[in-house]
Amino acid sequence: MTKWTPRHEAPEPLEGNVVATITGGTIVWFVLFLVQLPFYGRLSDGGHLWWLWTCLAAGGLGLVGVWYVRKRDAAIKRHAAARDRERDAAESVPSEGETG
């Protein structure tokens, strides 16, 4: 049996507004929690109380996700800015034989 190898390069990952996506999803989970809250007794009687706590847990994890992607986005922007500064500095230094 041979090992499978891809025949073409993998596509680049899609980079969208990740912060907005995670924030929107987190809001949806908290809204779902609040919508189910008035039905606490009915959910408890029917054995579906885990629905309520799943929404709360997902909202809490979403807050962690928002914090994480904001830090990640800031780090990517800092890295790009540093790379641009290094490139600009390298272009402004005259090479040998040139007068500046």
Side-chain angles (χ1 to χ4, degrees):
M1 183 167 208
T2 61
K3 182 179 175 184
W4 180 82
T5 56
R7 295 192 174 128
H8 60 296
E9 293 293 321
E12 290 294 319
L14 296 175
E15 287 290 335
N17 191 350
V18 181
V19 176
T21 303
I22 301 300
T23 302
T26 301
I27 291 170
V28 167
W29 281 112
F30 278 125
V31 167
L32 288 172
F33 171 75
L34 293 174
V35 166
Q36 293 180 40
L37 202 53
F39 303 103
Y40 184 89
R42 184 178 289 179
L43 290 171
S44 180
D45 293 343
H48 297 293
L49 197 57
W50 64 271
W51 291 358
L52 184 72
W53 303 124
T54 298
C55 292
L56 185 61
L61 289 173
L63 290 176
V64 173
V66 169
W67 172 80
Y68 178 80
V69 295
R70 288 185 69 189
K71 290 282 198 180
R72 177 183 176 268
D73 194 40
I76 290 171
K77 288 178 181 174
R78 276 194 316 270
H79 178 73
R83 187 179 58 229
D84 291 343
R85 281 194 307 271
E86 288 176 3
R87 187 186 68 228
D88 291 343
E91 290 174 356
S92 66
V93 174
S95 61
E96 292 182 27
E98 292 183 9
T99 57

